[in-house]
Amino acid sequence: MTGFFRHMVLGADDPEAARVFYDATFAAIGVGPGTADPKGRFVYRHKGQLFIIGRPIDGEKATHANGGTLGFFAPSADAVHAWHAAGLANGGSACEGDPAERVSPATGQPVTVAYLRDPTGNKLCVVYEQEQA
């Protein structure tokens, strides 16, 4: 097992717009482009984990979670800024301001974080956990 999660799935009413957004933002943090599956969803693979985006299986409109946020690791503070810029340039919208350095409430360690909403409104976060001297 390489991590806590095996896969995450989010709904998107416009899978192609979602693909453009996620291909750009994931490239900024070292993840390759998505590949289409037989159901028309886009699947991203990284270190044994899967992220899947596409139309909801039940045929209903995609909705975002109220209070939900998906967080991803970034390999550097520069990657956090690149992720945020790529998202804004590819159909995402800003939330919680610009990328910033903070102290993690979970660990007490310094982190660089950025937040975006994808084209469907799903809230995303990317975090670089700074190494301690």
Side-chain angles (χ1 to χ4, degrees), residues 12-77:
D13 292 322
D14 185 344
E16 181 57 25
R19 183 200 59 77
V20 168
F21 173 86
Y22 284 103
D23 279 2
T25 57
F26 284 168
I29 59 172
V31 177
T35 56
D37 75 3
K39 294 180 180 178
R41 303 175 300 182
F42 292 96
V43 179
Y44 296 82
R45 293 170 174 80
H46 186 69
K47 296 186 179 182
Q49 297 171 333
L50 302 173
F51 177 83
I52 303 165
I53 187 87
R55 293 188 190 282
I57 299 297
D58 67 5
E60 297 293 323
K61 181 172 175 36
T63 59
H64 57 83
N66 184 19
T69 303
L70 292 180
F72 300 95
F73 286 110
S76 67

Short mmCIF file of all heavy atoms in Angstrom, two decimals, residues 12-77:
data_model
loop_
_atom_site.label_atom_id
_atom_site.label_comp_id
_atom_site.label_asym_id
_atom_site.label_seq_id
_atom_site.Cartn_x
_atom_site.Cartn_y
_atom_site.Cartn_z
N ALA A 12 -18.48 15.47 -12.86
CA ALA A 12 -18.30 16.64 -13.73
C ALA A 12 -19.37 16.60 -14.81
O ALA A 12 -19.56 15.58 -15.46
CB ALA A 12 -16.92 16.63 -14.36
N ASP A 13 -20.09 17.71 -14.97
CA ASP A 13 -21.09 17.78 -16.04
C ASP A 13 -20.45 17.94 -17.41
O ASP A 13 -21.04 17.59 -18.42
CB ASP A 13 -22.06 18.93 -15.77
CG ASP A 13 -22.93 18.66 -14.56
OD1 ASP A 13 -23.34 17.49 -14.36
OD2 ASP A 13 -23.20 19.61 -13.80
N ASP A 14 -19.25 18.48 -17.45
CA ASP A 14 -18.51 18.66 -18.70
C ASP A 14 -17.15 17.96 -18.53
O ASP A 14 -16.16 18.59 -18.15
CB ASP A 14 -18.34 20.14 -19.00
CG ASP A 14 -17.68 20.42 -20.33
OD1 ASP A 14 -17.07 19.49 -20.93
OD2 ASP A 14 -17.74 21.58 -20.79
N PRO A 15 -17.09 16.65 -18.81
CA PRO A 15 -15.84 15.92 -18.60
C PRO A 15 -14.66 16.48 -19.38
O PRO A 15 -13.53 16.45 -18.89
CB PRO A 15 -16.18 14.49 -19.05
CG PRO A 15 -17.64 14.38 -18.84
CD PRO A 15 -18.18 15.74 -19.19
N GLU A 16 -14.89 17.01 -20.56
CA GLU A 16 -13.77 17.56 -21.34
C GLU A 16 -13.20 18.80 -20.67
O GLU A 16 -11.99 18.97 -20.60
CB GLU A 16 -14.19 17.86 -22.78
CG GLU A 16 -13.08 18.41 -23.65
CD GLU A 16 -11.84 17.53 -23.75
OE1 GLU A 16 -11.91 16.30 -23.56
OE2 GLU A 16 -10.75 18.09 -24.02
N ALA A 17 -14.05 19.69 -20.17
CA ALA A 17 -13.56 20.86 -19.44
C ALA A 17 -12.81 20.42 -18.19
O ALA A 17 -11.77 20.99 -17.84
CB ALA A 17 -14.72 21.79 -19.06
N ALA A 18 -13.30 19.39 -17.53
CA ALA A 18 -12.62 18.85 -16.35
C ALA A 18 -11.26 18.29 -16.74
O ALA A 18 -10.26 18.51 -16.04
CB ALA A 18 -13.47 17.77 -15.69
N ARG A 19 -11.19 17.57 -17.86
CA ARG A 19 -9.91 17.01 -18.31
C ARG A 19 -8.89 18.11 -18.55
O ARG A 19 -7.74 18.01 -18.12
CB ARG A 19 -10.08 16.18 -19.58
CG ARG A 19 -8.75 15.51 -20.02
CD ARG A 19 -8.75 15.11 -21.48
NE ARG A 19 -8.96 16.21 -22.39
CZ ARG A 19 -8.04 17.11 -22.73
NH1 ARG A 19 -6.83 17.08 -22.21
NH2 ARG A 19 -8.33 18.07 -23.58
N VAL A 20 -9.29 19.17 -19.23
CA VAL A 20 -8.38 20.28 -19.51
C VAL A 20 -7.85 20.86 -18.19
O VAL A 20 -6.65 21.07 -18.02
CB VAL A 20 -9.08 21.37 -20.36
CG1 VAL A 20 -8.25 22.65 -20.42
CG2 VAL A 20 -9.37 20.84 -21.76
N PHE A 21 -8.75 21.09 -17.23
CA PHE A 21 -8.37 21.64 -15.93
C PHE A 21 -7.42 20.70 -15.19
O PHE A 21 -6.36 21.11 -14.73
CB PHE A 21 -9.63 21.89 -15.10
CG PHE A 21 -9.37 22.30 -13.68
CD1 PHE A 21 -9.15 23.63 -13.36
CD2 PHE A 21 -9.34 21.36 -12.66
CE1 PHE A 21 -8.90 24.01 -12.05
CE2 PHE A 21 -9.09 21.74 -11.35
CZ PHE A 21 -8.87 23.07 -11.04
N TYR A 22 -7.78 19.42 -15.07
CA TYR A 22 -6.96 18.49 -14.30
C TYR A 22 -5.66 18.14 -15.00
O TYR A 22 -4.63 17.98 -14.33
CB TYR A 22 -7.76 17.24 -13.92
CG TYR A 22 -8.71 17.53 -12.79
CD1 TYR A 22 -10.07 17.71 -13.01
CD2 TYR A 22 -8.24 17.68 -11.48
CE1 TYR A 22 -10.93 18.00 -11.97
CE2 TYR A 22 -9.10 17.98 -10.44
CZ TYR A 22 -10.44 18.14 -10.68
OH TYR A 22 -11.29 18.45 -9.65
N ASP A 23 -5.66 18.03 -16.31
CA ASP A 23 -4.38 17.80 -17.01
C ASP A 23 -3.40 18.93 -16.68
O ASP A 23 -2.22 18.68 -16.40
CB ASP A 23 -4.57 17.72 -18.52
CG ASP A 23 -5.05 16.36 -19.02
OD1 ASP A 23 -5.27 15.44 -18.21
OD2 ASP A 23 -5.19 16.24 -20.26
N ALA A 24 -3.88 20.17 -16.70
CA ALA A 24 -3.01 21.33 -16.45
C ALA A 24 -2.57 21.40 -14.99
O ALA A 24 -1.38 21.59 -14.69
CB ALA A 24 -3.72 22.62 -16.85
N THR A 25 -3.52 21.26 -14.07
CA THR A 25 -3.15 21.41 -12.65
C THR A 25 -2.31 20.22 -12.18
O THR A 25 -1.36 20.41 -11.42
CB THR A 25 -4.39 21.57 -11.75
OG1 THR A 25 -5.28 20.47 -11.91
CG2 THR A 25 -5.12 22.87 -12.05
N PHE A 26 -2.64 19.02 -12.60
CA PHE A 26 -1.86 17.86 -12.17
C PHE A 26 -0.46 17.87 -12.78
O PHE A 26 0.49 17.44 -12.14
CB PHE A 26 -2.59 16.56 -12.50
CG PHE A 26 -3.74 16.25 -11.58
CD1 PHE A 26 -4.63 15.24 -11.90
CD2 PHE A 26 -3.94 16.92 -10.38
CE1 PHE A 26 -5.68 14.91 -11.06
CE2 PHE A 26 -4.99 16.60 -9.53
CZ PHE A 26 -5.87 15.60 -9.87
N ALA A 27 -0.31 18.38 -14.00
CA ALA A 27 1.03 18.48 -14.59
C ALA A 27 1.93 19.35 -13.71
O ALA A 27 3.12 19.06 -13.56
CB ALA A 27 0.96 19.05 -16.00
N ALA A 28 1.36 20.39 -13.10
CA ALA A 28 2.15 21.29 -12.25
C ALA A 28 2.68 20.60 -11.00
O ALA A 28 3.65 21.06 -10.41
CB ALA A 28 1.31 22.51 -11.86
N ILE A 29 2.06 19.48 -10.60
CA ILE A 29 2.52 18.77 -9.40
C ILE A 29 3.07 17.38 -9.74
O ILE A 29 3.21 16.52 -8.87
CB ILE A 29 1.44 18.70 -8.30
CG1 ILE A 29 0.17 18.00 -8.78
CG2 ILE A 29 1.14 20.09 -7.76
CD1 ILE A 29 -0.86 17.75 -7.67
N GLY A 30 3.39 17.17 -11.02
CA GLY A 30 4.09 15.96 -11.42
C GLY A 30 3.24 14.76 -11.75
O GLY A 30 3.73 13.63 -11.75
N VAL A 31 1.97 14.97 -12.08
CA VAL A 31 1.07 13.86 -12.42
C VAL A 31 0.76 13.94 -13.91
O VAL A 31 0.46 15.03 -14.43
CB VAL A 31 -0.23 13.92 -11.60
CG1 VAL A 31 -1.20 12.82 -12.01
CG2 VAL A 31 0.08 13.84 -10.10
N GLY A 32 0.81 12.81 -14.60
CA GLY A 32 0.57 12.76 -16.04
C GLY A 32 -0.89 13.00 -16.39
O GLY A 32 -1.77 13.02 -15.53
N PRO A 33 -1.18 13.15 -17.68
CA PRO A 33 -2.54 13.42 -18.14
C PRO A 33 -3.48 12.24 -17.91
O PRO A 33 -3.04 11.09 -17.78
CB PRO A 33 -2.37 13.70 -19.63
CG PRO A 33 -1.09 13.03 -20.00
CD PRO A 33 -0.22 13.07 -18.78
N GLY A 34 -4.75 12.55 -17.86
CA GLY A 34 -5.77 11.52 -17.68
C GLY A 34 -5.99 10.72 -18.95
O GLY A 34 -5.74 11.21 -20.06
N THR A 35 -6.45 9.49 -18.78
CA THR A 35 -6.82 8.65 -19.92
C THR A 35 -8.30 8.32 -19.80
O THR A 35 -8.82 8.11 -18.69
CB THR A 35 -6.00 7.35 -19.95
OG1 THR A 35 -6.16 6.66 -18.72
CG2 THR A 35 -4.52 7.65 -20.16
N ALA A 36 -8.98 8.29 -20.92
CA ALA A 36 -10.41 8.01 -20.93
C ALA A 36 -10.67 6.54 -20.68
O ALA A 36 -9.95 5.67 -21.18
CB ALA A 36 -11.02 8.43 -22.26
N ASP A 37 -11.71 6.26 -19.87
CA ASP A 37 -12.12 4.87 -19.67
C ASP A 37 -13.37 4.61 -20.51
O ASP A 37 -13.90 5.53 -21.15
CB ASP A 37 -12.31 4.56 -18.17
CG ASP A 37 -13.57 5.15 -17.57
OD1 ASP A 37 -14.40 5.78 -18.27
OD2 ASP A 37 -13.76 4.98 -16.35
N PRO A 38 -13.88 3.37 -20.55
CA PRO A 38 -15.03 3.07 -21.39
C PRO A 38 -16.31 3.84 -21.03
O PRO A 38 -17.20 3.96 -21.86
CB PRO A 38 -15.24 1.56 -21.16
CG PRO A 38 -13.90 1.05 -20.76
CD PRO A 38 -13.27 2.17 -19.97
N LYS A 39 -16.39 4.39 -19.82
CA LYS A 39 -17.57 5.16 -19.40
C LYS A 39 -17.42 6.64 -19.70
O LYS A 39 -18.27 7.44 -19.30
CB LYS A 39 -17.83 4.94 -17.91
CG LYS A 39 -18.21 3.52 -17.60
CD LYS A 39 -18.47 3.33 -16.12
CE LYS A 39 -18.85 1.87 -15.87
NZ LYS A 39 -19.07 1.61 -14.45
N GLY A 40 -16.33 7.05 -20.35
CA GLY A 40 -16.12 8.45 -20.69
C GLY A 40 -15.55 9.28 -19.55
O GLY A 40 -15.51 10.51 -19.64
N ARG A 41 -15.10 8.63 -18.50
CA ARG A 41 -14.46 9.34 -17.39
C ARG A 41 -12.97 9.45 -17.69
O ARG A 41 -12.44 8.71 -18.52
CB ARG A 41 -14.66 8.57 -16.08
CG ARG A 41 -16.13 8.34 -15.75
CD ARG A 41 -16.31 7.48 -14.53
NE ARG A 41 -15.68 6.17 -14.74
CZ ARG A 41 -15.70 5.19 -13.85
NH1 ARG A 41 -16.30 5.35 -12.69
NH2 ARG A 41 -15.11 4.04 -14.10
N PHE A 42 -12.30 10.35 -17.01
CA PHE A 42 -10.85 10.48 -17.15
C PHE A 42 -10.19 9.98 -15.87
O PHE A 42 -10.59 10.35 -14.77
CB PHE A 42 -10.46 11.92 -17.47
CG PHE A 42 -10.91 12.32 -18.85
CD1 PHE A 42 -12.10 12.99 -19.03
CD2 PHE A 42 -10.16 11.96 -19.97
CE1 PHE A 42 -12.54 13.32 -20.30
CE2 PHE A 42 -10.59 12.28 -21.24
CZ PHE A 42 -11.78 12.97 -21.41
N VAL A 43 -9.20 9.12 -16.05
CA VAL A 43 -8.54 8.46 -14.94
C VAL A 43 -7.09 8.94 -14.89
O VAL A 43 -6.37 8.89 -15.88
CB VAL A 43 -8.58 6.92 -15.10
CG1 VAL A 43 -7.87 6.23 -13.94
CG2 VAL A 43 -10.01 6.43 -15.24
N TYR A 44 -6.69 9.39 -13.70
CA TYR A 44 -5.32 9.84 -13.45
C TYR A 44 -4.70 8.84 -12.48
O TYR A 44 -5.30 8.52 -11.45
CB TYR A 44 -5.31 11.24 -12.83
CG TYR A 44 -5.87 12.27 -13.78
CD1 TYR A 44 -7.25 12.45 -13.90
CD2 TYR A 44 -5.03 13.02 -14.60
CE1 TYR A 44 -7.77 13.38 -14.79
CE2 TYR A 44 -5.54 13.94 -15.50
CZ TYR A 44 -6.91 14.11 -15.59
OH TYR A 44 -7.42 15.01 -16.48
N ARG A 45 -3.49 8.38 -12.81
CA ARG A 45 -2.79 7.40 -11.98
C ARG A 45 -1.49 8.01 -11.47
O ARG A 45 -0.74 8.62 -12.23
CB ARG A 45 -2.47 6.15 -12.79
CG ARG A 45 -3.68 5.38 -13.21
CD ARG A 45 -3.32 4.28 -14.23
NE ARG A 45 -4.46 3.44 -14.52
CZ ARG A 45 -5.44 3.76 -15.36
NH1 ARG A 45 -5.41 4.90 -16.00
NH2 ARG A 45 -6.44 2.92 -15.56
N HIS A 46 -1.24 7.82 -10.16
CA HIS A 46 -0.01 8.35 -9.58
C HIS A 46 0.33 7.55 -8.33
O HIS A 46 -0.46 7.50 -7.38
CB HIS A 46 -0.18 9.83 -9.24
CG HIS A 46 1.07 10.49 -8.77
ND1 HIS A 46 2.15 10.73 -9.60
CD2 HIS A 46 1.42 10.96 -7.57
CE1 HIS A 46 3.09 11.33 -8.91
NE2 HIS A 46 2.68 11.48 -7.67
N LYS A 47 1.48 6.91 -8.35
CA LYS A 47 1.99 6.17 -7.19
C LYS A 47 0.96 5.20 -6.62
O LYS A 47 0.75 5.12 -5.42
CB LYS A 47 2.49 7.12 -6.12
CG LYS A 47 3.67 7.95 -6.59
CD LYS A 47 4.25 8.80 -5.50
CE LYS A 47 5.44 9.57 -6.05
NZ LYS A 47 6.07 10.39 -5.01
N GLY A 48 0.29 4.46 -7.52
CA GLY A 48 -0.66 3.45 -7.10
C GLY A 48 -2.03 3.98 -6.72
O GLY A 48 -2.91 3.21 -6.32
N GLN A 49 -2.25 5.27 -6.83
CA GLN A 49 -3.53 5.86 -6.48
C GLN A 49 -4.23 6.36 -7.74
O GLN A 49 -3.58 6.70 -8.73
CB GLN A 49 -3.33 6.98 -5.47
CG GLN A 49 -2.74 6.45 -4.17
CD GLN A 49 -2.31 7.54 -3.22
OE1 GLN A 49 -1.98 8.64 -3.62
NE2 GLN A 49 -2.32 7.22 -1.94
N LEU A 50 -5.55 6.39 -7.68
CA LEU A 50 -6.36 6.81 -8.82
C LEU A 50 -7.22 8.01 -8.46
O LEU A 50 -7.80 8.06 -7.38
CB LEU A 50 -7.30 5.68 -9.26
CG LEU A 50 -6.67 4.35 -9.64
CD1 LEU A 50 -7.77 3.31 -9.86
CD2 LEU A 50 -5.82 4.51 -10.88
N PHE A 51 -7.32 8.93 -9.41
CA PHE A 51 -8.27 10.04 -9.33
C PHE A 51 -9.10 9.95 -10.59
O PHE A 51 -8.55 9.89 -11.70
CB PHE A 51 -7.53 11.38 -9.26
CG PHE A 51 -8.46 12.55 -9.25
CD1 PHE A 51 -9.05 12.97 -8.07
CD2 PHE A 51 -8.76 13.22 -10.42
CE1 PHE A 51 -9.93 14.05 -8.06
CE2 PHE A 51 -9.63 14.30 -10.43
CZ PHE A 51 -10.21 14.72 -9.24
N ILE A 52 -10.41 9.94 -10.45
CA ILE A 52 -11.32 9.74 -11.59
C ILE A 52 -12.31 10.90 -11.62
O ILE A 52 -12.91 11.25 -10.59
CB ILE A 52 -12.07 8.40 -11.46
CG1 ILE A 52 -11.06 7.25 -11.34
CG2 ILE A 52 -13.02 8.19 -12.63
CD1 ILE A 52 -11.66 5.95 -10.84
N ILE A 53 -12.51 11.48 -12.80
CA ILE A 53 -13.47 12.58 -12.98
C ILE A 53 -14.34 12.28 -14.18
O ILE A 53 -13.85 11.83 -15.21
CB ILE A 53 -12.73 13.93 -13.13
CG1 ILE A 53 -13.68 15.11 -13.16
CG2 ILE A 53 -11.82 13.96 -14.32
CD1 ILE A 53 -14.03 15.65 -11.81
N GLY A 54 -15.65 12.45 -14.03
CA GLY A 54 -16.56 12.20 -15.14
C GLY A 54 -18.01 12.41 -14.74
O GLY A 54 -18.31 12.75 -13.60
N ARG A 55 -18.89 12.18 -15.68
CA ARG A 55 -20.32 12.34 -15.40
C ARG A 55 -20.75 11.34 -14.33
O ARG A 55 -20.28 10.20 -14.32
CB ARG A 55 -21.14 12.08 -16.67
CG ARG A 55 -20.92 13.13 -17.73
CD ARG A 55 -21.92 12.93 -18.89
NE ARG A 55 -21.55 13.77 -20.01
CZ ARG A 55 -21.79 15.08 -20.09
NH1 ARG A 55 -22.40 15.69 -19.10
NH2 ARG A 55 -21.41 15.77 -21.15
N PRO A 56 -21.65 11.75 -13.44
CA PRO A 56 -22.14 10.81 -12.43
C PRO A 56 -22.78 9.58 -13.08
O PRO A 56 -23.50 9.71 -14.08
CB PRO A 56 -23.17 11.63 -11.65
CG PRO A 56 -22.71 13.05 -11.81
CD PRO A 56 -22.17 13.11 -13.23
N ILE A 57 -22.52 8.43 -12.52
CA ILE A 57 -23.03 7.16 -13.06
C ILE A 57 -24.56 7.13 -13.08
O ILE A 57 -25.16 6.55 -13.97
CB ILE A 57 -22.48 5.97 -12.24
CG1 ILE A 57 -20.95 5.92 -12.32
CG2 ILE A 57 -23.09 4.65 -12.68
CD1 ILE A 57 -20.38 5.70 -13.69
N ASP A 58 -25.20 7.82 -12.11
CA ASP A 58 -26.66 7.79 -12.04
C ASP A 58 -27.33 8.70 -13.06
O ASP A 58 -28.56 8.78 -13.15
CB ASP A 58 -27.16 8.12 -10.63
CG ASP A 58 -26.87 9.54 -10.19
OD1 ASP A 58 -26.36 10.36 -10.98
OD2 ASP A 58 -27.17 9.85 -9.02
N GLY A 59 -26.54 9.45 -13.86
CA GLY A 59 -27.09 10.32 -14.89
C GLY A 59 -27.58 11.66 -14.38
O GLY A 59 -28.01 12.50 -15.17
N GLU A 60 -27.52 11.88 -13.08
CA GLU A 60 -27.97 13.14 -12.50
C GLU A 60 -26.87 14.20 -12.65
O GLU A 60 -25.73 13.89 -12.98
CB GLU A 60 -28.31 12.96 -11.02
CG GLU A 60 -29.46 11.99 -10.77
CD GLU A 60 -30.79 12.53 -11.27
OE1 GLU A 60 -31.04 13.75 -11.16
OE2 GLU A 60 -31.59 11.71 -11.79
N LYS A 61 -27.22 15.45 -12.37
CA LYS A 61 -26.27 16.56 -12.42
C LYS A 61 -25.20 16.38 -11.35
O LYS A 61 -25.49 15.96 -10.24
CB LYS A 61 -27.02 17.87 -12.20
CG LYS A 61 -26.17 19.10 -12.27
CD LYS A 61 -27.03 20.35 -12.23
CE LYS A 61 -26.24 21.63 -12.18
NZ LYS A 61 -25.02 21.70 -12.92
N ALA A 62 -23.96 16.69 -11.71
CA ALA A 62 -22.87 16.64 -10.74
C ALA A 62 -23.02 17.79 -9.75
O ALA A 62 -23.41 18.90 -10.12
CB ALA A 62 -21.52 16.76 -11.45
N THR A 63 -22.74 17.52 -8.50
CA THR A 63 -22.75 18.55 -7.46
C THR A 63 -21.48 18.43 -6.64
O THR A 63 -20.90 17.35 -6.53
CB THR A 63 -23.97 18.42 -6.53
OG1 THR A 63 -23.95 17.13 -5.92
CG2 THR A 63 -25.28 18.58 -7.30
N HIS A 64 -21.07 19.53 -6.06
CA HIS A 64 -19.87 19.50 -5.20
C HIS A 64 -20.31 19.33 -3.75
O HIS A 64 -21.44 19.61 -3.38
CB HIS A 64 -19.03 20.77 -5.38
CG HIS A 64 -19.78 22.04 -5.12
ND1 HIS A 64 -19.95 22.54 -3.86
CD2 HIS A 64 -20.42 22.88 -5.95
CE1 HIS A 64 -20.64 23.65 -3.91
NE2 HIS A 64 -20.95 23.88 -5.18
N ALA A 65 -19.40 18.85 -2.95
CA ALA A 65 -19.68 18.62 -1.53
C ALA A 65 -19.63 19.93 -0.77
O ALA A 65 -18.67 20.67 -0.88
CB ALA A 65 -18.65 17.65 -0.95
N ASN A 66 -20.65 20.21 -0.01
CA ASN A 66 -20.65 21.38 0.84
C ASN A 66 -19.79 21.08 2.06
O ASN A 66 -20.13 20.23 2.87
CB ASN A 66 -22.08 21.74 1.26
CG ASN A 66 -22.13 23.02 2.06
OD1 ASN A 66 -21.20 23.82 2.02
ND2 ASN A 66 -23.20 23.22 2.79
N GLY A 67 -18.66 21.74 2.16
CA GLY A 67 -17.73 21.47 3.26
C GLY A 67 -16.63 20.49 2.89
O GLY A 67 -15.75 20.24 3.69
N GLY A 68 -16.69 19.92 1.70
CA GLY A 68 -15.70 18.95 1.28
C GLY A 68 -14.54 19.60 0.54
O GLY A 68 -14.73 20.56 -0.20
N THR A 69 -13.34 19.10 0.76
CA THR A 69 -12.15 19.55 0.05
C THR A 69 -11.27 18.34 -0.22
O THR A 69 -11.06 17.53 0.68
CB THR A 69 -11.34 20.56 0.89
OG1 THR A 69 -12.17 21.66 1.24
CG2 THR A 69 -10.12 21.05 0.12
N LEU A 70 -10.75 18.22 -1.43
CA LEU A 70 -9.76 17.20 -1.74
C LEU A 70 -8.39 17.86 -1.74
O LEU A 70 -8.19 18.88 -2.37
CB LEU A 70 -10.01 16.59 -3.12
CG LEU A 70 -11.24 15.74 -3.28
CD1 LEU A 70 -11.34 15.21 -4.71
CD2 LEU A 70 -11.22 14.59 -2.30
N GLY A 71 -7.46 17.26 -1.02
CA GLY A 71 -6.12 17.81 -0.93
C GLY A 71 -5.10 16.92 -1.62
O GLY A 71 -5.18 15.69 -1.52
N PHE A 72 -4.15 17.54 -2.29
CA PHE A 72 -3.09 16.84 -3.01
C PHE A 72 -1.74 17.37 -2.54
O PHE A 72 -1.61 18.54 -2.19
CB PHE A 72 -3.22 17.06 -4.52
CG PHE A 72 -4.52 16.59 -5.09
CD1 PHE A 72 -5.59 17.46 -5.25
CD2 PHE A 72 -4.69 15.26 -5.45
CE1 PHE A 72 -6.79 17.02 -5.77
CE2 PHE A 72 -5.89 14.81 -5.97
CZ PHE A 72 -6.95 15.68 -6.12
N PHE A 73 -0.72 16.51 -2.57
CA PHE A 73 0.64 16.93 -2.26
C PHE A 73 1.27 17.61 -3.46
O PHE A 73 1.03 17.22 -4.60
CB PHE A 73 1.51 15.72 -1.90
CG PHE A 73 1.23 15.14 -0.55
CD1 PHE A 73 0.63 13.91 -0.43
CD2 PHE A 73 1.57 15.84 0.60
CE1 PHE A 73 0.37 13.35 0.81
CE2 PHE A 73 1.31 15.30 1.85
CZ PHE A 73 0.71 14.05 1.96
N ALA A 74 2.12 18.59 -3.19
CA ALA A 74 2.94 19.23 -4.21
C ALA A 74 4.41 18.97 -3.87
O ALA A 74 4.75 18.91 -2.69
CB ALA A 74 2.68 20.72 -4.27
N PRO A 75 5.27 18.85 -4.88
CA PRO A 75 6.68 18.57 -4.60
C PRO A 75 7.49 19.79 -4.17
O PRO A 75 8.62 19.64 -3.72
CB PRO A 75 7.19 18.02 -5.93
CG PRO A 75 6.30 18.62 -6.96
CD PRO A 75 4.95 18.75 -6.30
N SER A 76 6.92 21.00 -4.32
CA SER A 76 7.66 22.21 -3.94
C SER A 76 6.68 23.37 -3.79
O SER A 76 5.54 23.30 -4.26
CB SER A 76 8.69 22.57 -5.01
OG SER A 76 8.03 22.96 -6.21
N ALA A 77 7.16 24.45 -3.18
CA ALA A 77 6.34 25.66 -3.08
C ALA A 77 6.08 26.23 -4.48
O ALA A 77 4.98 26.72 -4.76
CB ALA A 77 7.02 26.69 -2.19
#
